Amino acid sequence: MKAMRKKIKELFANGDVDVVLGYREDPASGEVKASVFKKDEMLEDMVFDERCVQNLVNYLPTLVARYSKVGIVLKGCDGRSLATQLVEHRINKNQIVALGVGCEGVKVGGKDADKCEDCPTSMSPVTDHEIGDKKQKKDPVFSKVEEIEKMSPAERWKFFAEYFERCERCYACRQICPSCYCEICVADQQEPKWIEPSAKLSANTMWHLIRAYHLAGRCADCGECERVCPQEIPMRLMNNALEKAVHELFGVRPGMDPEELPPLVVLSKEDPDTIMGGKHE
Amino acid sequence: MSKWHKLKRTDLKDFLSRLAEKWEVWVPYRVDGKWEFGIYAPDREMDFPESVIHVSMKNLFFPKRRPIAKYEEDSKWSMQPVAADDKPRIVMGLHPCDVAGIEYMDKVFLNSEHKDVLYESERKRTVLVGMLCSEMADNCHCTDRGLTPDSASGMDVAFAKVDDYYLFKGMTDRGKEIMQSEYLKAVGDAPEKRKWPAGKYAIASPEEFMDMYDDKIWHELSDICLTCGICTYACPTCVCFLVTDEKFKGKGERVTVWDSCQLQSYSRMAGGHNTRKTPASRVRNRTLDKFAYSHLRYGQISCTGCGRCVMVCPLKRSFPQLGARLSERIRDKKKSKAGTGARSKED
C-alpha cells in the first residue's frame, strides 16, 4: 500500500498523470468505492485489499475524454479487461498509466469471489508499473459450466428461466461491462425492435442471450455483471460457457495478450471451422 | 375518535383468512432472504418487516409491465382498451414512506390534466393497511423529509407490532370495515410514541437546487455512477414509463413499461439526437426531479426518504448523500458570494 501511494505521488509530481482511478475507503462508512483521485487529494484514503472488487476499466473512456493522462490501479482481472479494450482500440494506450498491483484475490459478500478460483492473472497483463508480486497462473476450470452441460435441454431451460423471469431490465450488467459499449445498444433499438423493453420472460431471455453472445471471445471474465445484478442472475455462467467454447476452439482466453485480436474477428487458415478446411463439426 | 384494537399474534392467520374471503389480501413474504408482496395464502409463512424493505409498493398500483389495450388480427387490429380490475383488495404492511409515495403518484396520475384510469381503479379498489415502523433502517431518512416512521397519515387502517400482539386502528370509513372483526378487541392504550432522530441528510430548497443546474459539480457527482436504472425502479415516486406494442402470432398488446431517466435510451429522440448523453446530465435530471422539478409541478419534493435507492444500488452509492453534498455546495457558494460579492470563476 505504501509502495503504491509512493508511486502515485511520484507520478503526480512528475506530471505523468492528471488523475488516478483507484479505490477509496469512505472514512465515515468504511465502505470501499471507486474514486477518481486528483493531485494531492485524499491519497491517504486510498486502499487496495480484498474489498476492491470493482473493475475500474469501465470508467476509463469517460475519463480519457476529460483528462489527457489517466492512471489506473489494476487487479489482474481488470488488467485483462483493459487488454480487451486496448485491442479493440477503444482506449489509446498513450493516455493510460497502468499500475498493476499483485492481487491476492477479492471477496464478494464475505466470501472469496468465484472468479478468483481459476484466475490466470494475479498481475495485470498490461502494466507500466508493477507493485507487489506475481503468483502462479491458474488453468481455467469450467466446473460450473460442465454441470449445466450435463443437464437435459429441458432442465437447462428450467434452470435459466427461473432466473430470467426475475430480471428487472435495469441494465446494470450492461452498464458496468467495459466491453458493452455500443453507441446504441441492441436492447434500446426501436426500429426494428429486436428485444421488447418489458420485463417478461421472453424478452428477458432474448436480452440475456444476446448480451452473452455479443461478448463471446471478448469477455475477460471480470465477473462484474454477475456481482452488480440486483436479482443475482448467474451471468458468469453464460459468459463462461462461451469462454469455454472459444478456449476449446481457438485456445484463447480473452485479455491475456493486449496484442492478440479477438478470435471471432480474425480470419485464419488455422481456424477449426470446416469452411477454413478445419475438422470441427 | 376510534380506539386502538388488539390482535393477538396467534390470531393473525385467522384474521387474515377471514379478510381473504371478501378481499384480495396482499402481504409481504420473504423469499430467499428477500422481501416481496404476494396474495395471502394461509399455508405460506409470512411476516411483517419492522421497517422499509427494498421493494416499493409502486408495482401494485402502477405495474412494471401493464397492458392498456389489446388487438387481434381477426378483428382487423382494432384496439380494445383493457378493462380495469375492480375486485376489492387490501394491501397490508406498507410503511409511511410507501404511503407518501402513493400520495405523490396520486398527484401525477389522478390530479393532473390526464387521468390514468387504470391507476385510478387500482387505487379505488385498494384499502391501505399501513404498518407503523418500529425502527429506522440504516438508510432511512424520512424524518428529514417531513415524515415520521410512526405516522398514520394517508392510511385507511394503521397497525403496529407490540410485543406478542398487534394494535390496529381504523383511520377512514373504508378502513373501519376491516375493523369489524371478531379477532380485534378494543383497548385503551395506543402504541408508544417515540422520538425519532432527524438531520441525516438535510437538503437545500427547490429554488436553490434549480440554481445549481449549470454547476460543474454534476460531473463530480456522477463520476462513478453506472447510470443503470435500478434506483428509479426501486423509487416509490419514479413514475416514468414508455408505451410499446408487443405483437405475437396475430395478437397484440399495447403496454406501458417502466422507463428510467438514468438510461441512455430514455432521452434519445427520433432522428437519433440525445438530449442527455452524458451520465452527468442524467444524474442531474434525477436529482433535480426529486428535489426541485417535483416541487415546481406538484408542490412537494418527491423524495420520501425511504432510502431504497441506496439499498439497491449495485455500487452502494448514496443518493440522499448526493443531495446533501449538493446542498452543502449550495451553502458554500452562498457564503463565498456573501464574502466576495461576486461569483467565483470556477462555478
Side-chain angles (χ1 to χ4, degrees):
Chain A
M1 204 46 242
K2 257 189 185 162
M4 188 165 91
R5 278 198 206 112
K6 196 177 155 216
K7 187 87 231 165
I8 293 171
K9 272 192 190 142
E10 202 181 294
L11 291 172
F12 273 128
N14 297 343
D16 290 340
V17 289
D18 299 325
V19 286
V20 172
L21 247 175
Y23 302 92
R24 191 174 94 90
E25 181 174 356
D26 188 340
S29 67
E31 277 179 41
V32 171
K33 286 174 183 178
S35 192
V36 181
F37 293 85
K38 291 181 186 152
K39 198 177 178 178
D40 305 326
E41 196 190 64
M42 309 185 291
L43 268 188
E44 63 280 4
D45 294 339
M46 189 183 246
V47 287
F48 187 86
D49 54 30
E50 79 273 356
R51 295 172 297 170
C52 302
V53 187
Q54 193 177 349
N55 180 355
L56 305 175
V57 173
N58 194 30
Y59 296 127
L60 280 179
T62 335
L63 285 176
V64 293
R66 282 172 65 199
Y67 302 98
S68 48
K69 276 280 196 180
V70 180
I72 179 169
V73 175
L74 294 166
K75 300 190 292 293
C77 45
D78 305 344
R80 298 200 302 272
S81 230
L82 177 60
T84 64
Q85 299 301 291
L86 294 174
V87 77
E88 291 180 18
H89 301 291
R90 193 176 176 219
I91 302 167
N92 185 349
K93 180 68 190 66
N94 297 331
Q95 277 189 277
I96 306 284
V97 176
L99 292 150
V101 189
C103 177
E104 306 271 325
V106 289
K107 286 202 155 80
V108 177
K111 282 184 283 182
D112 290 341
D114 289 348
K115 66 173 174 183
C116 300
E117 185 194 4
D118 61 343
C119 174
T121 49
S122 68
M123 176 64 79
S124 159
V126 192
T127 51
D128 293 307
H129 305 281
E130 289 187 10
I131 301 153
D133 306 320
K134 258 184 210 174
K135 284 205 291 189
Q136 186 70 37
K137 170 179 161 179
K138 292 179 197 167
D139 284 327
V141 207
F142 294 111
S143 49
K144 282 196 176 149
V145 176
E146 279 154 11
E147 263 171 52
I148 299 288
E149 282 173 345
K150 279 180 206 145
M151 293 181 182
S152 71
E155 284 170 336
R156 242 183 269 175
W157 168 241
K158 194 172 164 277
F159 175 87
F160 281 107
E162 265 171 33
Y163 287 110
F164 292 161
E165 187 98 59
R166 313 210 290 229
C167 175
E168 297 197 62
R169 301 287 284 281
C170 69
Y171 299 115
C173 48
R174 172 184 79 186
Q175 297 302 106
I176 200 145
C177 178
S179 292
C180 264
Y181 57 79
C182 287
E183 186 86 350
I184 295 176
C185 172
V186 64
D188 289 341
Q189 282 179 32
Q190 294 286 328
E191 205 57 61
K193 190 161 58 192
W194 301 106
I195 308 172
E196 282 164 345
S198 64
K200 58 175 185 180
L201 181 59
S202 63
N204 294 351
T205 306
M206 265 303 257
W207 160 245
H208 284 283
L209 294 183
I210 293 186
R211 188 202 64 82
Y213 271 101
H214 282 185
L215 293 170
R218 302 170 59 229
C219 167
D221 195 24
C222 72
E224 286 290 85
C225 45
E226 185 169 302
R227 184 179 68 92
V228 299
C229 179
Q231 296 293 357
E232 291 156 22
I233 298 168
M235 268 172 277
R236 265 190 78 230
L237 208 47
M238 291 176 263
N239 299 343
N240 287 354
L242 290 160
E243 200 189 329
K244 179 170 180 267
V246 168
H247 188 256
E248 281 168 6
L249 288 171
F250 308 104
V252 171
R253 279 190 96 178
M256 296 299 285
D257 179 356
E259 305 285 321
E260 187 169 34
L261 287 168
L264 296 186
V265 305
V266 179
L267 199 59
S268 154
K269 274 191 169 174
E270 274 70 53
D271 272 1
D273 210 314
T274 45
I275 199 170
M276 300 304 292
K279 287 188 184 73
H280 181 67
E281 283 147 34
Chain B
M1 224 180 87
S2 77
K3 276 187 172 174
W4 287 92
H5 288 62
K6 200 168 171 175
L7 172 75
K8 277 192 262 168
R9 191 115 22 130
T10 44
D11 285 345
L12 179 68
K13 275 198 167 175
D14 293 331
F15 172 66
L16 291 175
S17 298
R18 188 62 61 82
L19 291 179
E21 286 168 15
K22 186 178 167 193
W23 283 281
E24 186 182 292
V25 184
W26 288 75
V27 288
Y29 286 107
R30 196 171 235 189
V31 183
D32 299 338
K34 281 191 167 185
W35 291 94
E36 64 177 43
F37 270 78
I39 294 178
Y40 174 72
D43 52 347
R44 236 182 126 181
E45 260 326 295
M46 55 90 44
D47 194 15
F48 293 107
E50 307 287 334
S51 180
V52 66
I53 49 176
H54 72 282
V55 284
S56 79
M57 222 57 52
K58 182 166 72 173
N59 196 32
L60 292 185
F61 297 90
F62 164 52
K64 204 179 284 184
R65 176 185 179 277
R66 177 177 71 161
I68 53 173
K70 294 188 178 190
Y71 45 84
E72 278 180 32
E73 194 172 12
D74 296 344
S75 52
K76 296 193 174 149
W77 303 112
S78 77
M79 287 267 182
Q80 295 301 320
V82 166
D85 198 344
D86 56 2
K87 188 168 191 277
R89 105 179 144 167
I90 292 171
V91 176
M92 204 163 169
L94 314 90
H95 293 284
C97 54
D98 286 314
V99 180
I102 292 169
E103 284 177 335
Y104 181 80
M105 283 203 288
D106 287 351
K107 290 190 176 171
V108 179
F109 290 129
L110 302 178
N111 306 339
S112 60
E113 207 179 331
H114 305 284
K115 198 184 262 189
D116 188 315
V117 287
L118 291 175
Y119 177 83
E120 190 182 29
S121 71
E122 291 296 339
R123 279 293 272 132
K124 275 195 173 152
R125 78 186 182 103
T126 308
V127 183
L128 300 178
V129 181
M131 185 185 179
L132 312 183
C133 302
S134 45
E135 61 179 45
M136 277 176 93
D138 287 350
N139 299 310
C140 283
H141 57 289
C142 67
T143 46
D144 293 349
R145 304 283 176 267
L147 297 168
T148 24
D150 53 6
S151 144
S153 153
M155 299 173 183
D156 293 311
V157 174
F159 76 99
K161 225 183 204 174
V162 192
D163 303 331
D164 60 342
Y165 56 93
Y166 299 98
L167 282 174
F168 279 76
K169 187 182 183 180
M171 307 297 293
T172 62
D173 287 342
R174 296 172 76 192
K176 280 178 190 144
E177 209 188 328
I178 292 170
M179 301 297 291
Q180 314 287 333
S181 169
E182 66 198 79
Y183 299 106
L184 294 171
K185 303 276 182 299
V187 285
D189 43 345
E192 194 191 338
K193 276 272 166 203
R194 280 179 53 183
K195 247 185 108 72
W196 301 94
K200 212 167 164 186
Y201 302 116
I203 46 155
S205 75
E207 292 76 19
E208 286 169 329
F209 271 108
M210 285 303 281
D211 282 344
M212 295 301 279
Y213 190 89
D214 291 321
D215 202 282
K216 279 186 181 162
I217 197 171
W218 298 109
H219 284 287
E220 210 179 290
L221 294 176
S222 65
D223 60 4
I224 71 159
C225 178
L226 297 175
T227 66
C228 75
I230 196 70
C231 53
T232 58
Y233 296 163
C235 179
T237 61
C238 270
V239 289
C240 287
F241 61 87
L242 57 86
V243 182
T244 182
D245 279 3
E246 296 184 346
K247 228 158 49 170
F248 187 66
K249 284 188 180 165
K251 281 187 181 173
E253 274 184 327
R254 181 155 294 177
V255 294
T256 67
V257 180
W258 288 355
D259 203 354
S260 167
C261 63
Q262 298 303 288
L263 302 174
Q264 211 174 3
S265 58
Y266 178 89
S267 32
R268 202 177 78 236
M269 299 184 280
H273 181 64
N274 196 333
T275 49
R276 295 196 197 103
K277 216 167 177 181
T278 60
S281 62
R282 299 200 287 277
V283 169
R284 175 176 66 192
N285 183 66
R286 177 163 149 79
T287 315
L288 291 184
D289 187 82
K290 292 294 142 196
F291 299 127
Y293 303 160
S294 47
H295 188 269
L296 291 177
R297 252 179 246 141
Y298 306 110
Q300 69 171 89
I301 64 157
S302 58
C303 174
T304 66
C306 70
R308 286 194 179 92
C309 44
V310 196
M311 269 188 237
V312 297
C313 179
L315 304 184
K316 296 282 168 280
R317 288 196 85 211
S318 170
F319 182 76
Q321 208 173 48
L322 186 153
R325 214 167 121 195
L326 198 58
S327 306
E328 212 172 284
R329 167 86 159 187
I330 293 171
R331 280 194 293 277
D332 289 351
K333 243 174 138 176
K334 266 194 173 164
K335 252 189 231 159
S336 69
K337 219 172 166 182
T340 60
R343 239 177 152 173
S344 74
K345 229 180 183 178
E346 174 65 18
D347 297 336

